Amino acid sequence: MIEENFDAIVVGAGMSGNAAAYTMASHGLKVLQLERGEYPGSKNVQGAIMYANMLEKIIPDFRDDAPLERHLVEQRLWVMDDTSHTGIHYRSDDFNEAKPNRYTIIRAQFDKWFSRKVREAGATVLCETTVTELIRDAKDRVIGVRTDRAGGAIYADVVVLAEGVCGLLGTRAGLRQMPKPQTVALAVKEMHFLPEEVIEQRFGLKGDEGCVIEAVGTTSRSMAGLGFLYTNKESISLGIGCLVSDFAAMVESPYVLLDALKSHPSIRPLIAGSEVKEYSAHLIPEGGYKAIPQLFGDGWVVVGDAAQLNNAIHREGSNLAMTSGRIAAEAIIEVNSRNAPMTKRNLALYKAMLDKSFVVKDLKKYKDMPALLHTNSCNYFTTYPRLMSQAAQNFMRVDGTPKIEKEKATTAAFIKARSRWGLLSDAVRLALAWR
Amino acid sequence: MSTANRETPRPAAGRAGIKKELPAHFKDYRHVWVFIELERGQVHPVSFELLGEGRKLADKLEVQLAGVVLGPPGEAVGNAVAEAFAYGADLVYIAEAPLLADYRNEPFTKAMTDLVDTHKPEILLLGATTLGRDLAGSVATTLQTGLTADCTELDVDTDSSLAATRPTFGGSLLCTIYTLNFRPQMATVRPRVMPMPQRTDKPVGRVIRHKLSLAEDEIATKVLGFLPDNQSAKANLAYADVVVAGGLGLGAAENLQLVKNLARAIGAEHGCSRPLVQKSWMPADRQIGQTGKTIRPKLYIAAGISGAVQHRVGVEGADLIVAINTDPNAPIFDFAHLGIVTDAIRFLPALTEAFTRRLSPHSRDKLAS
Amino acid sequence: MHIVICIKQVPDSAQIRVHPVTNTIMRQGVPTIINPYDLFALEEALRLRDAYGGEVTVLTMGPPMAEDALRKALGYGADRAVLLTDRYFAGSDTLATSFALSQAIAKVGETFGTPDLVFTGKQTIDGDTAQVGPGIAKRLGLLQLTYVAKIPSIDLAAGEIKVERRSEGGTQMLKSRLPCLITMLEGTNEIRRGSIHDALCAARSQVLKWSAADAGIEDLTKCGLRGSPTVVKRVFAPAARAQKAALIDTAEKALRDVADELITAIFTRQPALEHELAFNGGA
Ligand SMILES: Cc1cc2nc3c(=O)[nH]c(=O)nc-3n(C[C@H](O)[C@H](O)[C@H](O)COP(=O)(O)OP(=O)(O)OC[C@H]3O[C@@H](n4cnc5c(N)ncnc54)[C@H](O)[C@@H]3O)c2cc1C
Ligand SMILES: Cc1cc2nc3c(=O)[nH]c(=O)nc-3n(C[C@H](O)[C@H](O)[C@H](O)COP(=O)(O)OP(=O)(O)OC[C@H]3O[C@@H](n4cnc5c(N)ncnc54)[C@H](O)[C@@H]3O)c2cc1C
Ligand SMILES: Nc1ncnc2c1ncn2[C@@H]1O[C@H](COP(=O)(O)O)[C@@H](O)[C@H]1O
């Protein structure tokens, strides 16, 4: 058969792969994108919130036809104990702007749309095709890939690895290590279908407005984890994620946690009467800055989750994925335009550009958070939520106890639980890690 | 923004309300016809089920019920005619010709369309067998009329038109379909969906013969041979009185032996849900459900079957459904009559044993005394 | 040899949900697939092409997104794809569908060579009628061979085909003439996985999009709702059975006792069964 040669092969059609393939193809590069799923998005699980700004940088007029569910006007942050939640709600009509900032999306649909854009930009996209191997030449440069289809190898000047969190291809090729259990979270999620009107009524929404709840607390059974609830048009995504190492240590099954979350008195009424469909589980890289592997080499770059580019603290992943994909593509376009080879030296441009972007800057800011939350998870995820709940209840309940005594009791409870020194050190450590 | 993703399967409004006057040339189309499916000397039982149903429609419309028998000259056609009367036909149309010996689409379509054009029935019912569906499709197209497949319910509307109800989207919904402005109104019905009517010995009534004007050399398709299904492997599921079936919950192919053991102990046929056929744990003719057999036994025992709607539509006609499933929330408990929440792999042997005990000659004597 | 194969894109009915209030189909998130029965026909068509030479044209009538199904078919190795799409086709029943498809097949024949064989699947999983195939055959004046399990031989020079056809209680061996229409039985083969070359070709080839006019359809009264003699008057959810199953308590009981209790419950509800079963089995 005819030998095929491409400027670039992109492995994976998730957020990062699509961003990279789209950017390169629309600059005229000959791009082949390979996706193992039946269609782009078929294997992708995401909560999911999509950040407009990062997509605008790639497809400015995406709002014209992207399948967006709701734009977010309200965010609730909850700290939960077993029967209550204490929360901060922020809602503003400012979010009803002409070009809203955040949307909920359903990945299966969104990825399909994104992929169509990639195809329209001129890339060749093959689904149901798993890349099984990177091909290297005598000098160990990556020069192409082999797939699970009959018919041999395909060659390219550069391979963009956008294969997601497990990144088997790259790890098998020795480009980086498998993510460790303490640096990946396992998130389980269900889609709860409800009529549009019911969702709008329960969350006080109208039209395309949407609401998000993110919750920490005893629901994660002392593990570092987070529950989330996102409103879509006709469904609610509800899920919870915790570090894989914690699941292993606690011998908890994620499903038990999700069940507990669903039956929590603050969540139950929100999903009552829904029809559950699509139970799914997926990994999220949470190692942060310290877990970022080597990002480029001779004939290859790695982007998105595969490169551990995920901001667990802010629940941001897809925007880092899109941005890293775009930047990698821009670096490749730059090298290509100079007619220079895709060597490690030349591709270092990608890392240089990425370092200057919010992607690496944000991850650097929180570099100590993963470790802190991990080692101190019992306090942050159980003790404090319980204390906060007690404090709040103490404050709300009007029972004739003098206010001064109530405050004293609350303070005493905190000190009893964590000691003065403990409280101070928790606060300081959190502040330092946050800084 | 996201596309509004709600759809009705077909725009139910729109034309639904419109009821134009039936064109004049269709006004003299009268009576209900049932195609009596005769293949290799045997009448397919679905034909009798249809006669039972056709009788009800004809009575409501105050018209006659006719059977249509197509076949080679000989005894078989005579028997089929007699049976048609025994199951309720008022008259029978016959086309007898050697070239109708084996089923072939061309001569059968010709015979049937000629008969319809000559005698003008308002309703024509066929069994949804391989033969019936093959024939119905080309007859309806030749006649340019509507055909509703795989109906589960037939009725006559206040305006005398046929209301044919059938499952759609795999049984998640039902829809009622009308053939407006065209005649005959055609429908196929699967075997075992309608109950078998009572047979009463009746003399042969009025018979109208039709001469098929077609010669063998005008027919391109020739039958070279016929290979009957191996009798021992042939599952007579659809007509079994008692059926025991296993599903994925049985876990492994070898556990199907437990189902077969129980079936043998009580003289039942055994069947399965679709995934077992897909895994080649059982042959395809044992599959029960939308894309398998419809059954109508007196007793149906389902072990390790979740009761998906595609399975449900195939068993709903059973008189008594017993479900054995470990999951108390399994949908099968929504339509079973008796349920046991337990491990079928452990329970089936116990049930087989208990049945054997109960049905042993010894206890039978007790029963008699 | 030129083979035309009709495929349909259908919602994966295993994943369909019904809106609890409005009783309409909720397709959000429900993936669409190639009607599984059509894949057997497609593979058979590809197999014959590989054996006898020639081309395979895939044809579908449907909304623009049905292009996905055609692209897939190209990925399996089909040579050409035609999407018949026009708002005039909306609401077609089987008679109108077979009309439009037969017109398009005639046009395909004019443009790319008269087909020797037309394939359809046995039936669809949404329409589930098994009527469209016979309908097309009749309209094109083709011989019709349904429920075909095997095609042992084709003699192109003599224009002859031998097939094994599933019929009630057995298999018919038939000899017939080309051109003809075949509806393929399930389980007869397994769809291939196209090579990387097939996949690349598929990704690059154009799906031809034909409107009614492109397909040479002049009589629009035979299309869509207007050309459909059948009308859906009512769509409704199956009535739920009033009672859920009566559960037999298993707690703290020997399986043996539970079994006895079940048998008693069965015979209480169906007294006649006891004698019948004793007669059938039990010995
Ligand atoms: C439950 C959950 C909720 C989340 N919520 C949010 C959120 O609200 N907002 C947010 O910004 N981020 C969120 N994220 C993170 C976000 O989903 C990821 O960061 C983002 O999808 C990463 O994109 P990616 O392209 O790197 O990887 P992916 O989207 O995982 O894509 C990788 C693709 O590569 C394909 N692939 C893998 N290996 C091969 C191979 N060998 N050959 C061919 N194809 C291959 C896969 O099939 C897949 O399609 C969430 C994640 C989870 C699990
Ligand atoms: C187009 C189409 C057509 C179809 N046609 C048919 C059809 O004709 N017939 C058909 O059957 N299906 C059909 N299906 C498939 C159908 O949707 C279901 O997938 C199928 O019926 C499920 O089979 P199951 O109940 O055996 O398996 P599952 O759904 O996996 O259920 C297994 C059940 O066993 C229970 N179980 C597990 N372990 C045990 C144990 N030890 N003891 C007791 N119970 C246990 C589980 O709780 C579960 O309820 C069709 C699907 C499609 C899409
Ligand atoms: N819209 C369509 N486009 C192409 N082929 C179709 C279409 N509808 C039905 N068919 C073909 O006709 C067969 C029988 O369909 P049905 O009569 O709907 O069960 C299918 O297996 C397809 O091969």
Side-chain angles (χ1 to χ4, degrees), chain B residues 246-250 272-276 287-293 303-311 324-327 330-331 342-345, chain C residues 12-14 36-37 125:
Chain B
L248 263 193
L250 293 178
C272 65
S273 63
R274 181 161 94 151
L276 306 206
Q287 181 187 321
I288 300 169
Q290 184 207 349
T291 48
K293 297 262 178 346
I305 294 181
S306 60
V309 58
Q310 295 93 350
H311 188 80
I324 308 163
N325 197 306
T326 40
D327 175 8
T342 191
D343 177 358
I345 300 163
Chain C
D12 186 348
S13 78
Y37 293 112
I125 60 168

Side-chain angles (χ1 to χ4, degrees), chain B residues 164-293:
Chain B
T165 300
R166 64 171 309 225
T168 175
F169 286 101
S172 335
L173 286 178
L174 296 171
C175 59
T176 304
I177 296 179
Y178 289 72
T179 296
L180 301 181
N181 313 333
F182 293 89
R183 291 294 179 269
Q185 308 162 85
M186 290 180 62
T188 63
V189 178
R190 290 177 137 212
R192 294 311 262 158
V193 166
M194 305 298 181
M196 180 66 79
Q198 202 62 44
R199 184 185 186 284
T200 43
D201 269 319
K202 266 200 309 194
V204 168
R206 195 153 75 98
V207 171
I208 298 172
R209 288 181 181 275
H210 172 77
K211 192 167 159 344
L212 181 62
S213 54
L214 193 69
E216 179 62 45
D217 55 9
E218 292 175 75
I219 305 170
T221 305
K222 308 289 176 201
V223 180
L224 303 178
F226 184 82
L227 196 75
D229 290 330
N230 187 345
Q231 285 302 314
S232 61
K234 188 185 157 198
N236 196 10
L237 261 185
Y239 288 90
D241 277 340
V242 185
V243 175
V244 185
L248 263 193
L250 293 178
E254 53 272 20
N255 288 332
L256 285 175
Q257 196 53 46
L258 305 177
V259 168
K260 292 181 195 165
N261 289 349
L262 174 58
R264 177 144 11 87
I266 59 176
E269 278 288 351
H270 66 273
C272 65
S273 63
R274 181 161 94 151
L276 306 206
V277 172
Q278 287 170 327
K279 285 177 179 281
S280 302
W281 292 0
M282 270 211 202
D285 58 355
R286 296 271 174 195
Q287 181 187 321
I288 300 169
Q290 184 207 349
T291 48
K293 297 262 178 346

Side-chain angles (χ1 to χ4, degrees), chain A residues 187-243:
Chain A
V188 292
K189 194 192 82 177
E190 283 177 353
M191 293 286 270
H192 288 254
F193 284 86
L194 282 167
E196 206 170 322
E197 315 79 70
V198 174
I199 293 178
E200 282 164 15
Q201 183 203 335
R202 281 185 193 169
F203 293 87
L205 305 168
K206 59 180 193 303
D208 292 326
E209 289 175 348
C211 168
V212 163
I213 301 174
E214 293 183 327
V216 291
T218 59
T219 40
S220 65
R221 308 273 161 91
S222 310
M223 300 189 264
L226 181 95
F228 54 88
L229 181 156
Y230 302 150
T231 55
N232 304 316
K233 259 238 132 75
E234 289 190 330
S235 61
I236 289 173
S237 309
L238 181 69
I240 187 162
C242 292
L243 285 179

Side-chain angles (χ1 to χ4, degrees), chain A residues 272-300:
Chain A
S274 67
E275 190 187 345
V276 185
K277 205 71 198 226
E278 297 177 39
Y279 174 79
S280 48
H282 199 268
L283 297 173
I284 309 178
E286 304 225 326
Y289 183 72
K290 291 177 177 166
I292 299 176
Q294 174 67 30
L295 291 172
F296 58 94
D298 278 321
W300 63 272

